[in-house]
Amino acid sequence: MSGNYLIIGAAGGIGSNLTKDLKRSSCNLLLGIHKNSNPEFSDDESFQLDGTSFESIHSFIQEGMKRFGNIDGIVNLAGNLILKPAHKVTEQEFSTTIDINLKSSFGVIKSAGELLR
């Protein structure tokens, strides 16, 4: 398998494992990360982004198009999970979770629809 793939949330547990697998398959990758805490990601393959910002996601996909010419797939693994009882969750924690989980997904669909037609 080969191809050009964009991965949002590449620094997380699932994202870093997927990245390793795709690298072994000789895929071209652009890795969207919030903060590069993974020393296995080089600066030329990573792109810092905010998964809650439509503009940031749009820029990420544009960069992928610029680097590769075409995109074979986009994987969105940005996400947040609240691991405590609901009655202890603040409104801000809930809003942040909704922003990360839903806004990032919609942002990818929106930008991909605009850029990859």
Side-chain angles (χ1 to χ4, degrees):
M1 180 172 105
S2 64
N4 304 316
Y5 297 95
L6 309 181
I7 303 173
I8 298 173
I14 296 171
S16 59
N17 284 316
L18 175 62
T19 297
K20 288 175 190 172
D21 289 345
L22 291 174
K23 281 182 178 183
R24 280 194 293 268
S25 297
S26 300
C27 294
N28 296 313
L29 303 175
L30 182 59
L31 309 174
I33 54 175
H34 183 67
K35 296 177 191 165
N36 192 356
S37 58
N38 190 331
E40 294 180 24
F41 298 166
S42 67
D43 288 341
D44 63 331
E45 70 182 348
S46 62
F47 186 96
Q48 193 161 2
L49 66 84
D50 175 359
T52 65
S53 164
F54 289 169
E55 184 178 327
S56 185
I57 293 168
H58 192 86
S59 295
F60 174 66
I61 296 173
Q62 277 184 318
E63 181 65 22
M65 292 293 295
K66 181 176 142 187
R67 289 185 188 197
F68 304 135
N70 72 303
I71 304 298
D72 295 303
I74 303 172
V75 179
N76 179 33
L77 298 169
N80 190 24
L81 179 63
I82 300 173
L83 295 172
K84 60 183 173 181
H87 68 279
K88 293 186 177 186
V89 175
T90 67
E91 187 170 347
Q92 181 59 48
E93 289 170 325
F94 181 76
S95 292
T96 298
T97 299
I98 293 299
D99 274 355
I100 293 169
N101 295 347
L102 298 180
K103 204 170 178 185
S104 65
S105 297
F106 185 81
V108 169
I109 294 166
K110 177 180 178 0
S111 291
E114 292 170 358
L115 296 170
L116 303 179
R117 293 189 252 168

